């Protein structure tokens, strides 16, 4: 044993350093991935009681797959049926799952004589629960408004049309229809996603959001390119299985992605092996801006995954080394262990006896005093 | 060297400790600031009473309620277009002129008929010798031609008459409608002039109010009269006024009090006289008793003195020590106790028979001394001494009492019997006087009570009269006010109805004028129509039959000829049949009108002109669209089923973004299913009253309903997760470092929502705390936050 003590000591020091590096890398990883709010919708949706775990699934659909907003209610119905069969039900006044489609188009917005063409995102009513945005005025649509003709402008578009950003409640014409400005946003909460939202100068890129109900009125044939779900996920891969069963398209037209635990240590180490394949795009699927930000983060996490793997490996090797040494010297160790245990037991017995003698002596003195 | 190293190490440690403590101190002082800096900043507001406004918006196209399309029934070419979109037209006004009708088809048909007839006639003429028959036939052909021309003219005139008759009917209906409206309004004016207002709900209510006020006034006046009668009755029944009764009572009381006071003084004097007599005898008796007591106590003192002397002598003889010393006495008592105990032990030893015990007890007893005699003598001496002292004290007390009694007796005086008797007599007399005054006082008191009761009754009656008078005054004022309001309403209503009547009269006048003009036109047209096309057709048929008969006759004559004639006849028959067919074809082509002008049948406005000069118009094509005047406009917008629930028939509709919106009056007239999207949507039909044009697009808002709710929060305050919707409030918590704010979750139910705010029900968990509507970073239940500085 003594001849291995130096190796053990060096190994211990290296393991401690590896654990420290692991911890620092974990902090860096959390810093990179923690700010991508769109990836943590399930964690936010899950209530504090935490009885049911939730999972977030993203489905990226090719534009030529012909998936429109009109098909979404049917998919939601089939999801609800499957969840009901598995005995999941929403508490009173709450929703059981979140569902939101996403598409992009171009529309002309005009106020008086001012007209601006802007990129228009058509989204489901749960979109902003999954992708929180910073609202500088007003608020976003939630699906229970009486009129569906509400729009959300970004600051650039609001400024171009009205000359200011505190314009919630004002009217704007879009697609020949009069709409109400529900709110003005400065963009996603996450700075990384915001960079992908307006890659050029944010002050100069007008864009707007409208609800899917409104977009169906303007263009019923508009294709949905991304469909997101937040479903109960009590066991591994339950949510993604439900999504794959209910959202069915030919191969190559759809990609499924489980956002929950995407940036866990295990997952990013697993993704090391497929990191080169993920760079290549083989289908006709289109990724929205938040997914682009997430993929950049994925790429940034590749070296971190390598560090995780190495440091974990070092610690594992050291532990194995220690175990093997112990195994080799097991007889000596057992013997010395037994001796050590025996000495300890004797020592304990002696102490106990001493205590008894002291007590008896004290009692006798007291009795004598009394006599 | 080692010391130097040690010193260096200590110095380093000291420096590190100083730095560490300094950092901790700074962090402690600035802990609040540092903590606040790291917390997310939130803003919000206190939820409270507010209103939620919901409205349904939409866009639609204005359509006239009644349109008329001008069409032609045959293919024609437009020569000129005399109107344009927006022109106002009247019935009979020419809209388009048409080019001469070159109906090649008819021309060809007529030409071929003529040829066929000519050939036929030539054949007949070539064959027949019967000139008479031939000339007859020619006459008939001539007659037929004339009849056909007459028919064409008749058809044209008949159509004009039909159009004119339709217009006359329309104007007649309108005239009847306006006549009835005018007579109703005149009836209303007459009712209003007579003060009746049966049709107006407001006036009827006001009249009823006036009736009620008058009835109330009458009732109040009756009550006032009643109260006045009661007052008079009470006033008349009072004999003695309150003031007189009060002064009588006061006089009687004064007299009684004076007499009673005098009586008390006399009683005191009498008692003093009696007391003085009684007290002298008592004092004498006391003196005698005190003297006796003194003598007795003196004798007792003597006895005690002698007892004392003898006891003292005996004690001195019995005890040689100081007989007055308490300590010696006590020692003797203690020693005697010991002796008594030893004696007791000795007796017990004797009783037990134990010789050792006896001996030891005896030895103990012998060692002690019996002081019983000394103690007995000392006790006697002490008792005698104390008795002597007590007797001496008793003598002192008796002496003091004797001296006091003697002193009192010397100071007392005694009243004589006659003085007492006189005083008694006077006292009795005074008592009699007081009794009489007392009776007079009781009577005066009773009269005063009665007078008070009467006075109260009178006051109550007076108050009742005053209240009744005020009530009458109030009702009178109310009646007058209501009468004034009624008069004003009647006057306004009369003015309004008169204005309406004037308007209706003008409309009646205009429509009557139009009716007369059109009627006149109709009469002229009817006069032109002497025979109807049907009558002329009959004549044509008769003539053709005659022609046929004559031709057959001619043919018959030929039949008697040879075979060639038969063939000729057959050919003639064939030709005749072909001619008949051709005639029918020509007739059909001629039945169409040969108008050169297209005229309007109605009053209205040209909505659209679809042709131009030189264009060819096919049968059934729409040349122009006319909006018929006075029939109004409508607008339809599609809504979802849920939106339709927020709208009701009769709701006012506002127009957005239209300069003259204030001059338009729009109302929802119907909500009907959308046949293109059954079960998914509805169509809302809106009536428009005002200046708009057909095809104009309007943006409208319907049913701006405002509902009030107890708790209204901004939409940004409502959050949602798997457990439902909730709001976050900032609940304050006091800490030694100041107030801290923690976000707390309150579940809510959204009752209503508009574009800005939502009305919620938070149950009993919410106590009107600060609701968080926005934050600089994501927060959740339990997060610590800081409020934005206002």
């Amino acid at each position: 044993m003594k001849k291995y003590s130096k190796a053990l000591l060096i190994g211990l020091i290296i393991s401690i350093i590896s654990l420290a590096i692991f911890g620092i890398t974990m902090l860096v990883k959390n810093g990179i991935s923690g700010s991508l709010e769109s990836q943590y919708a399930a964690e936010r949706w899950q209530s504090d009681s935490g009885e049911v775990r939730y999972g977030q699934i993203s489905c990226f659909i090719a534009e030529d797959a012909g998936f429109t907003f009109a098909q979404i209610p049917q998919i939601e119905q089939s999801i609800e049926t499957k969840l009901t069969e598995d005995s999941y039900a929403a508490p009173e006044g709450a929703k059981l799952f979140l569902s939101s489609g996403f598409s992009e188009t171009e529309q002309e917005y005009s106020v008086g004589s001012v007209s601006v063409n802007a990129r228009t995102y058509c989204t489901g009513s749960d979109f902003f629960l999954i992708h929180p945005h910073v609202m500088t005025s007003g608020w976003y649509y939630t699906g229970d408004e009486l009129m569906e003709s509400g729009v959300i402008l970004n600051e650039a578009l609001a400024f171009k049309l009205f000359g200011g950003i505190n314009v919630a409640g004002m009217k704007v014409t879009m697609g020949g229809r009069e709409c109400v400005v529900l709110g003005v946003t400065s963009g996603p909460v996450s700075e990384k996603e915001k960079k992908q939202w307006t890659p050029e100068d944010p002050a100069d890129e007008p864009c707007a959001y409208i609800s899917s109900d409104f977009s169906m009125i303007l263009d019923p044939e508009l294709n949905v390119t991304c469909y997101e779900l937040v479903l109960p996920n009590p066991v591994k891969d339950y949510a993604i299985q439900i999504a794959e069963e209910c959202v069915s398209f030919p191969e190559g037209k759809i990609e499924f992605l489980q956002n929950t635990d995407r940036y866990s240590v295990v997952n990013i180490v697993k993704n090391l092996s497929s990191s080169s394949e993920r760079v290549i795009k083989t289908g006709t699927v289109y990724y929205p801006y938040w997914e682009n930000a997430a993929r950049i983060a994925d790429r940034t996490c590749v070296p971190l995954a390598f560090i995780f793997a190495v440091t974990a490996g070092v610690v594992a090797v050291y532990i194995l080394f220690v175990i093997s040494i112990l195994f080799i010297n097991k007889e000596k160790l057992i013997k010395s262990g037994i001796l050590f245990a025996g000495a300890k037991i004797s020592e304990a017995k002696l102490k106990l006896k001493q205590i008894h003698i002291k007590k008896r002596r004290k009692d006798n003195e007291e009795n004598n005093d009394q006599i | 060297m080692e010391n130097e190293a040690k010193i260096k190490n200590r110095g380093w440690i000291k420096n590190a400790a100083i730095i560490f403590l300094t950092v901790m101190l700074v962090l402690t002082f600035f802990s609040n600031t540092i903590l606040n800096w790291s917390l997310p900043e939130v803003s919000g507001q206190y939820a409270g009473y507010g209103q939620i406004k919901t409205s349904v918006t939409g866009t639609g196209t204005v359509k006239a309620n009644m349109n008329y399309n001008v069409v032609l029934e045959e293919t024609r070419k437009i020569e000129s277009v005399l109107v344009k979109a927006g022109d106002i037209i009247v019935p009979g006004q020419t809209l388009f002129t048409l080019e001469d009708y070159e109906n090649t088809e008819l021309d060809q048909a007529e030409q071929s008929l003529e040829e066929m007839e000519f050939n036929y006639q030539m054949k007949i003429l070539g064959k027949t010798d019967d000139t008479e028959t031939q000339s007859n036939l020619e006459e008939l052909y001539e007659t037929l031609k004339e009849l056909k021309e007459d028919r064409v003219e008749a058809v044209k005139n008949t159509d004009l008459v039909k159009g004119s008759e339709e217009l006359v009917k329309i104007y007649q209906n309108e005239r009847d409608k306006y006549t009835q409206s005018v007579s109703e309004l005149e009836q209303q004016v007459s009712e209003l002039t007579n003060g009746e207002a049966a049709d107006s709900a407001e006036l009827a209510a006001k009249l009823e109010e006036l009736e009620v006020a008058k009835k109330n006034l009458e009732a109040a006046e009756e009550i006032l009269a009643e109260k006045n009668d009661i007052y008079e009755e009470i006033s008349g029944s009072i004999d003695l006024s309150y003031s007189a009764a009060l002064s009588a009572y006061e006089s009687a009381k004064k007299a009684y009090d004076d007499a009673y006071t005098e009586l008390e003084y006399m009683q005191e004097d009498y008692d003093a006289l009696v007391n003085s007599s009684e007290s002298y005898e008592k004092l004498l008796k006391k003196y005698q008793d005190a003297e006796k007591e003194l003598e007795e106590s003196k004798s007792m003192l003597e006895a005690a003195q002698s007892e004392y002397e003898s006891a003292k002598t005996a004690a001195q003889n019995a005890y040689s020590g100081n007989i007055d010393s308490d300590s010696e006495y006590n020692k003797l008592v203690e020693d005697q106790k010991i002796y008594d105990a030893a004696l007791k032990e000795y007796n017990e030893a004797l009783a037990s028979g134990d010789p050792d015990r006896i001996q030891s007890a005896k030895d103990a007893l012998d060692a002690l001394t019996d002081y019983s005699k000394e103690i007995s003598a000392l006790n006697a001496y002490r008792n005698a001494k104390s008795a002597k002292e007590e007797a001496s004290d008793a003598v002192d007390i008796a002496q003091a009492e004797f001296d006091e009694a003697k002193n009192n007796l010397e100071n007392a005086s005694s009243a004589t019997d006659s003085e007492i008797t006189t005083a008694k007599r006077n006292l009795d007399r005074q008592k009699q006087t007081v009794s009489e005054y007392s009776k007079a006082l009781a009577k005066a008191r009773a009269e005063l009570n009665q007078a008070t009761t009467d006075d109260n009754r009178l006051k109550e009656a007076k108050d009742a009269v005053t209240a009744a008078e005020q009530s009458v005054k109030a009702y009178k004022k109310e009646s007058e006010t209501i009468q004034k309001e009624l008069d004003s309403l009647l006057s306004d209503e009369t003015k309004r109805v008169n204005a309406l009547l004037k308007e209706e009269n003008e409309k009646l006048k205009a429509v009557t004028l139009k009716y007369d003009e059109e009627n006149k036109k109709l009469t002229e047209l009817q006069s032109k129509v002497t025979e109807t096309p049907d009558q002329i057709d009959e004549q044509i048929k008769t003539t053709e039959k005659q022609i046929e008969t004559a031709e057959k006759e001619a043919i018959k004559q030929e039949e008697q000829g040879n075979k060639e004639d038969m063939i000729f006849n057959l050919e003639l028959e064939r030709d005749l049949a072909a001619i008949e067919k051709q005639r029918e074809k020509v007739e059909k082509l001629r039945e169409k009108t040969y108008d050169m002008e297209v005229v309007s049948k109605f009053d209205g406005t040209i909505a659209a002109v679809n042709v131009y000069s030189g264009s060819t118009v096919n049968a059934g094509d729409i040349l122009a669209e006319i909006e018929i005047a006075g029939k109004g406009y409508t607008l339809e917008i599609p809504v979802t089923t849920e939106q339709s629930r927020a709208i009701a028939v009769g709701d006012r509709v506002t127009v957005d973004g239209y300069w003259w919106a204030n001059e338009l009056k729009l109302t929802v007239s119907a909500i009907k299913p959308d046949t293109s999207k059954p079960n998914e949507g509805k169509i809302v039909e809106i009536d428009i009253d005002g200046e708009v044009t057909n095809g104009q697009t309007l943006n409208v808002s319907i049913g701006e309903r405002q509902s009030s709710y107890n708790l209204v929060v901004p939409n940004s305050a409502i959050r949602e997760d798997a457990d439902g919707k909730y709001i976050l409030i900032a609940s304050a918590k006091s800490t030694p470092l100041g107030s801290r704010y923690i976000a707390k979750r309150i579940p809510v139910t959204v009752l209503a929502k508009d574009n800005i705010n939502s009305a919620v029900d938070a149950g009993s968990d919410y106590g009107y705390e600060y609701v968080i509507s926005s934050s600089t970073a994501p927060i959740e239940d339990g997060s610590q936050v800081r409020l934005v500085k206002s």
Side-chain angles (χ1 to χ4, degrees), chain B residues 179-199 493-494 497-498 501 505:
Chain B
T179 307
Q180 191 176 350
S181 168
V182 160
S183 73
E184 280 171 4
L185 285 169
E186 280 170 353
Q187 171 77 11
Q188 277 184 32
V189 166
S190 135
E191 281 173 359
L192 285 168
T193 310
N194 292 339
E196 296 164 17
D199 287 345
E493 185 68 8
T494 309
V497 171
N498 275 330
L501 179 64
N505 268 328

Side-chain angles (χ1 to χ4, degrees), chain A residues 95-168:
Chain A
K95 285 195 266 201
L96 182 55
F97 63 93
L98 296 178
S99 153
S100 174
F102 175 86
S103 185
E104 199 177 312
T105 181
E106 184 97 359
Q107 291 286 351
E108 189 188 33
Y109 295 82
S110 53
V111 172
S113 58
V114 177
S115 284
V116 180
N117 281 328
R119 189 170 58 238
T120 301
Y121 298 117
C122 309
T123 76
S125 56
D126 291 338
F127 177 81
F128 292 100
L129 289 173
I130 299 171
H131 304 283
H133 280 51
V134 177
M135 301 298 291
T136 46
S137 84
W139 201 240
Y140 34 72
Y141 42 82
T142 54
D144 46 10
E145 289 81 17
L146 189 63
M147 295 303 298
E148 69 281 330
S149 57
V151 297
I152 294 167
L153 314 177
N154 77 337
E155 286 181 346
L157 183 57
F159 199 82
K160 282 179 198 287
L161 290 173
F162 296 99
I165 57 174
N166 191 14
V167 296

Side-chain angles (χ1 to χ4, degrees), chain A residues 2 23 107 163 178 223 233 255 266 305 318 329 362 367:
Chain A
K2 278 190 183 168
Q107 291 286 351
E178 200 174 65
N223 287 320
N233 193 30
E255 275 180 30
V266 170
Y318 177 70
N329 298 294
K362 196 173 170 189
N367 283 338

Side-chain angles (χ1 to χ4, degrees), chain A residues 167-323:
Chain A
V167 296
M170 299 188 74
K171 301 269 173 75
V172 62
T173 305
M174 185 268 283
R177 288 166 185 274
E178 200 174 65
C179 311
V180 173
V181 178
L182 294 177
V184 176
T185 178
S186 62
V189 165
S190 164
E191 285 298 324
K192 293 187 175 65
E193 288 175 14
K194 198 170 172 179
K195 270 191 197 156
Q196 299 304 314
W197 184 63
T198 49
E200 308 296 331
D201 180 11
D204 208 30
E205 278 195 63
C207 69
Y209 292 85
I210 60 173
S211 69
S212 52
D213 291 336
F214 193 21
S215 74
M216 280 200 283
I217 294 171
L218 295 173
D219 182 5
E221 301 303 318
L222 185 65
N223 287 320
V224 173
T225 53
C226 176
Y227 180 57
E228 295 171 286
L229 293 162
V230 174
L231 301 173
N233 193 30
V235 297
K236 192 167 172 258
D237 293 341
Y238 175 86
I240 196 165
Q241 275 173 14
I242 296 231
E244 282 170 355
E245 280 171 26
C246 297
V247 187
S248 172
F249 280 93
E251 206 175 316
K253 297 292 183 189
I254 186 164
E255 275 180 30
F256 290 95
L257 174 69
Q258 186 155 243
N259 302 82
T260 309
D261 296 331
R262 180 176 183 169
Y263 295 101
S264 66
V265 173
V266 170
N267 269 341
I268 61 173
V269 170
K270 265 192 203 169
N271 288 339
L272 257 180
S273 58
S274 58
S275 60
S276 51
E277 288 162 15
R278 286 152 73 81
V279 173
I280 307 165
K281 193 173 157 188
T282 52
T284 53
V285 163
Y286 159 80
Y287 298 129
Y289 61 86
W290 64 84
E291 182 58 22
N292 289 335
R295 293 211 168 220
I296 291 170
D298 282 345
R299 186 103 188 272
T300 313
C301 286
V302 164
L304 299 181
F306 183 72
I307 294 168
F308 280 132
V310 165
T311 51
V314 163
V315 171
V317 162
Y318 177 70
I319 292 169
L320 277 172
F321 176 62
V322 168
I323 290 169

Side-chain angles (χ1 to χ4, degrees), chain B residues 614-639:
Chain B
S615 63
T616 303
V617 178
N618 297 319
D621 285 353
I622 297 173
L623 277 70
E625 293 170 19
I626 299 172
E627 295 170 8
I628 299 176
K631 302 298 176 188
Y633 298 90
T634 51
L635 179 139
E636 288 182 350
I637 59 165
V639 295

